[in-house]
Amino acid sequence: MSHGYQAIQWNGFKWRYDIVMLLGVAAFITAFSLMTMASRPPEQSLTMVQVLIRAFGASAFLLLTVILAIGPLARLSARFKPLLYNRRHMGVLCFILALVHAGLSLLWYQGFSALNPVVALFVSNARYTSIAGFPFESLGVVALILLAFLAVSSHDYWQAALGPTLWKRIHMGVYVAYGLLVMHVLLGTIQGEKDVLYPVSIIGAFCLLAFLHGASALAGRFRDKTAAASLDGWINIGAPDNIPENRARIIKAASGDRIAVFRYDGKISAVTNVCAHQNGPLGEGRIVDGCITCPWHGWQYRPEDGRSPAPFDEKISTYRVQVDGGMVYVHPEALPPGTPTPPALIKEVKHDKA
């Protein structure tokens, strides 16, 4: 989303993002395949199909790990925020890689069965009470179904139809898919691999993600201390210089609402910290071409009324702001989405906040 409206919404950054992503995946699959073939002794050699099964599976798992790491990394450091911009394309590619892995596995291991390969997959092993013999393939199938649903519903049509909150809750199912894939790979390696590299890598990736999410949550709690309101209800957030130019300071009202207070062109405006698209943190974005730009996918809103520039019609809540005695004050009561709210002039001094 931007001033220059295009139906497909492609731009140079998205093209470069996807090209780098595709080249990176291709390089990983190639390197993984070559290393797998070179590292195995002759008596444990694999066919090319088996190598590709592992290569596509490993690339899908690695890409999903990267996808889930981008969010907390972006919260911990602004340098990772550009990776959020096209993350959904990563999700679709992850599903495609997993689908190729599943298809090759099904054809190679069940293709010669007298039964339908899909039927054979579920009836050939029913040892669900045994860890050593658990049919780990079933976990992969469930994860693949989840990834397929998430990939299809990642389009903005479904976000608009379901609403940002419900859409976001549904897409939290990616963590369920990741957990299933962790168990799928671990059980598969326990049953068919002697090399400890695979389970160690999987456990390491899982622990790294847990650490990043924990660190991000702690950092968020530290940043989001509830701001105290004065007797007349307004929140003093300090001097204007405490807010970086063309950026925001995020405060948390007593109600729990997060408010993004932006400083730009000698003015102060405040809006909700929640983007109307996917609940992205607007306060972590910046002012671009006079509009607040969400760091996740580039959706934009005018700071003075919370409305998106034409031809878009999205709206977010605004808040009243004033400058009194060199201090910035924000009223914690959210105004209806799209309500015009005059920005406060930084040099202006007001004494009546009623």
Side-chain angles (χ1 to χ4, degrees), residues 50-317:
Q50 289 176 305
V51 171
L52 290 177
I53 287 173
R54 297 185 179 206
F56 276 92
S59 61
F61 182 83
L62 177 61
L63 189 58
L64 186 56
T65 302
V66 171
I67 291 169
L68 296 180
I70 289 174
L73 283 173
R75 301 302 300 272
L76 293 170
S77 174
R79 71 184 65 181
F80 293 102
K81 287 181 180 178
L83 296 178
L84 288 165
Y85 195 49
N86 241 23
R87 187 170 51 168
R88 284 185 292 176
H89 290 198
M90 282 189 177
V92 174
L93 179 58
C94 176
F95 163 68
I96 293 173
L97 294 171
L99 183 63
V100 173
H101 165 78
L104 290 175
S105 299
L106 193 65
L107 292 175
W108 180 256
Y109 293 106
Q110 306 295 340
F112 301 100
S113 172
L115 300 174
N116 179 284
V118 177
V119 175
L121 175 67
F122 288 100
V123 302
S124 60
N125 182 7
R127 299 168 61 188
Y128 288 95
T129 59
S130 170
I131 295 180
F134 189 91
F136 63 91
E137 299 89 348
S138 60
L139 299 176
V141 170
V142 176
L144 182 65
I145 293 173
L146 284 175
L147 290 176
F149 175 77
L150 296 175
V152 171
S153 62
S154 66
H155 194 275
D156 280 344
Y157 168 81
W158 292 106
Q159 187 273 332
L162 298 173
T165 302
L166 178 58
W167 186 92
K168 192 69 175 180
R169 288 176 179 173
I170 291 174
H171 276 250
M172 292 299 287
V174 68
Y175 289 96
V176 177
Y178 188 78
L180 290 171
L181 288 178
V182 169
M183 296 304 299
H184 169 72
V185 178
L186 284 179
L187 288 173
T189 54
I190 289 174
Q191 295 176 22
E193 277 290 337
K194 296 181 180 180
D195 192 346
V196 298
L197 179 62
Y198 287 105
V200 169
S201 299
I202 298 301
I203 294 173
F206 179 83
C207 292
L208 177 61
L209 273 184
F211 170 78
L212 289 175
H213 280 78
S216 174
L218 288 176
R221 292 188 63 179
F222 178 78
R223 289 194 303 263
D224 293 343
K225 291 183 178 180
T226 302
S230 59
L231 293 178
D232 53 5
W234 290 71
I235 300 173
N236 183 348
I237 66 170
D241 290 343
N242 291 336
I243 308 172
E245 180 68 17
N246 289 325
R247 292 192 178 273
R249 179 181 174 187
I250 302 172
I251 61 172
K252 183 179 179 182
S255 62
D257 294 337
R258 288 173 172 80
I259 305 171
V261 186
F262 282 87
R263 174 189 172 195
Y264 60 101
D265 299 332
K267 296 176 286 188
I268 301 289
S269 290
V271 299
T272 176
N273 191 48
V274 180
C275 179
H277 180 213
Q278 291 182 19
N279 296 338
L282 290 176
E284 296 179 18
R286 58 193 178 95
I287 302 288
V288 178
D289 296 331
C291 289
I292 298 168
T293 303
C294 181
W296 281 14
H297 303 105
W299 284 46
Q300 294 183 309
Y301 310 91
R302 293 191 296 262
E304 65 272 14
D305 59 10
R307 294 175 179 267
S308 296
F312 304 99
D313 56 6
E314 286 78 19
K315 296 179 290 185
I316 57 174
S317 298

